[in-house]
């Protein structure tokens, strides 16, 4: 986890907390941003028309956080919804189409100076959404994967906006990422010559390759493994998920199963890492 103004041990690839125009040094973590925003920031979760956005809104409500009754969405989604509204966690949310985004965000910022955006939209929209948050100087959590991650990080830093940009939000998997990164830093080249196979399975609606898998691959690269993230195998077919990945049938609509298998040059040694998550 990286804060601009902080670089703690075990710094994670593409999982960063950015603060306005500071240079990296050792110190704070996510708690720093929370303190500066207040103990319970007001959230606007985009887009609650999707399953992940809805799940996050429900979780935030259960945690006692305030979720505003608005959610950004595409023009088509707003048109299809009855009355331009949906119900999430017992609250009606107004769907805000692109033509109204700027006015709605500015109005909400005036009412709620500690407004934080939480983004679970779609990979194709990630750069557009980030630019919107940067433009309005609203801190944001980017849970959506995809896009040009290098440009996303650079533009967020230049905008001077606090942000958590992460391919993974599960703390145990984040800890695993940190351990793998530390291994790469401590034992560079330890697995030189080894072959790697990475297979990830998610619900069929996930269009892009897992950002978590890509982050883990970068750690294997540091360990000396010659492997390109474009070689990651995506499993989205129902039968392959059930048969090969052993995904429970009830979890086909929401899961994240990852396997990383390292094999020595002569095939006599194998290492396998797995993290399987049922649900969202």
């Amino acid at each position: 986890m990286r804060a601009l103004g902080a670089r703690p041990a075990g710094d994670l690839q593409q999982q960063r907390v950015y603060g306005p125009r500071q240079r990296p040094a050792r110190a704070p973590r996510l708690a720093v941003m929370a303190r500066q925003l207040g103990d319970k920031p007001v959230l606007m979760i985009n887009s609650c028309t999707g399953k992940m956005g809805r799940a996050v809104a429900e979780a935030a409500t259960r945690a006692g956080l305030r979720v505003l009754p608005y959610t950004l969405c595409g023009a088509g989604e707003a048109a299809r919804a009855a009355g331009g509204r949906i119900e999430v966690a017992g609250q009606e949310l107004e769907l805000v189409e692109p033509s109204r985004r700027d006015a709605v965000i500015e109005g909400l910022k005036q009412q709620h100076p500690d407004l934080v955006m939480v983004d679970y939209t779609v990979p194709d929209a990630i750069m557009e959404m980030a630019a919107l948050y940067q433009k309005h100087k609203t801190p944001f959590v980017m849970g959506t994967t995809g896009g040009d991650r290098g440009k996303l990080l650079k533009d967020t830093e230049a905008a001077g906006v606090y942000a958590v940009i992460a391919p993974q939000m599960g703390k145990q998997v984040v800890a695993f990422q940190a351990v793998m990164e530390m291994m790469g830093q401590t034992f560079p080249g330890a697995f030189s010559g080894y072959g790697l196979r990475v297979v990830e399975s998610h619900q069929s609606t996930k269009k892009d390759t897992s950002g978590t898998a890509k982050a883990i691959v970068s750690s294997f690269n540091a360990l000396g493994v010659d492997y390109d993230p474009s070689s990651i195998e995506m499993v989205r077919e129902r039968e392959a998920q059930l048969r090969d990945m052993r995904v429970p049938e009830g979890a086909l609509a929401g899961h994240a199963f990852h396997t990383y298998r390292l094999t020595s040059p002569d095939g006599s040694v194998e290492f396998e890492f797995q993290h399987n998550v049922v649900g969202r």
Side-chain angles (χ1 to χ4, degrees):
M1 183 90 55
R2 177 176 300 168
L4 207 71
R7 188 183 179 113
D11 179 30
L12 298 185
Q13 289 286 335
Q14 296 194 36
Q15 177 128 350
R16 307 175 182 186
V17 184
Y18 276 109
R21 307 186 188 286
Q22 298 169 301
R23 292 185 62 77
R26 294 186 181 274
R29 297 192 177 185
L30 186 56
V32 172
M33 185 176 78
R35 284 198 300 271
Q36 290 173 335
L37 293 171
D39 290 337
K40 289 190 176 182
V42 176
L43 306 181
M44 182 176 183
I45 300 175
N46 310 311
S47 169
C48 289
T49 56
K51 292 180 180 178
M52 193 65 206
R54 175 180 288 271
V56 170
E58 291 170 348
T61 300
R62 289 195 301 271
L65 297 174
R66 184 177 179 187
V67 178
L68 292 179
Y70 300 88
T71 186
L72 305 183
C73 68
E77 292 173 311
R80 288 192 296 270
R85 297 174 181 272
I86 58 173
E87 184 176 325
V88 178
Q91 177 178 220
E92 269 202 353
L93 304 187
E94 182 178 336
L95 302 183
V96 180
E97 59 192 42
S99 63
R100 299 173 51 224
R101 287 175 181 171
D102 290 310
V104 169
I105 291 173
E106 280 305 308
L108 291 175
K109 279 186 63 181
Q110 290 178 20
Q111 297 175 51
H112 308 286
D114 56 352
L115 175 64
V116 176
M117 298 291 191
V118 180
D119 192 285
Y120 281 95
T121 50
V122 294
D124 291 346
I126 185 173
M127 303 308 292
E128 175 188 353
M129 299 306 293
L132 181 70
Y133 307 145
Q134 293 156 6
K135 171 185 174 182
H136 289 280
K137 303 294 183 183
T138 53
F140 66 93
V141 176
M142 181 58 73
T144 310
T145 57
D148 183 337
R149 305 303 278 193
K151 179 173 170 47
L152 177 59
L153 296 170
K154 182 180 178 181
D155 289 352
T156 301
E157 180 178 359
V161 176
Y162 282 101
V164 178
I165 297 172
Q168 172 59 243
M169 296 291 178
K171 65 182 179 181
Q172 293 82 10
V173 180
V174 170
F176 172 63
Q177 286 180 259
V179 169
M180 294 305 299
E181 184 167 350
M182 285 188 282
M183 278 183 63
Q185 294 169 350
T186 307
F187 305 107
F191 285 86
S192 293
Y194 270 65
L196 175 64
R197 184 186 181 198
V198 182
V199 186
E200 58 92 343
S201 174
H202 288 76
Q203 57 277 2
S204 61
T205 53
K206 182 172 173 58
K207 301 175 182 178
D208 61 323
T209 303
S210 164
T212 300
K214 291 179 179 178
I216 296 295
V217 163
S218 69
S219 295
F220 284 124
N221 293 154
L223 286 162
V225 179
D226 184 13
Y227 185 90
D228 191 280
S230 63
S231 298
I232 295 172
E233 299 172 42
M234 297 169 54
V235 180
R236 300 292 184 268
E237 297 286 335
R238 172 190 172 89
E239 292 308 314
Q241 290 176 332
L242 293 170
R243 181 188 65 246
D244 303 331
M245 303 300 289
R246 299 185 180 181
V247 178
E249 188 167 5
L252 291 174
H255 68 277
F257 278 39
H258 293 216
T259 300
Y260 312 85
R261 183 177 293 113
L262 290 157
T263 307
S264 65
D266 63 359
S268 63
V269 181
E270 275 195 353
F271 290 81
E272 186 172 286
F273 301 85
Q274 222 177 51
H275 52 91
N276 298 339
V277 179
V278 171
R280 294 176 183 270

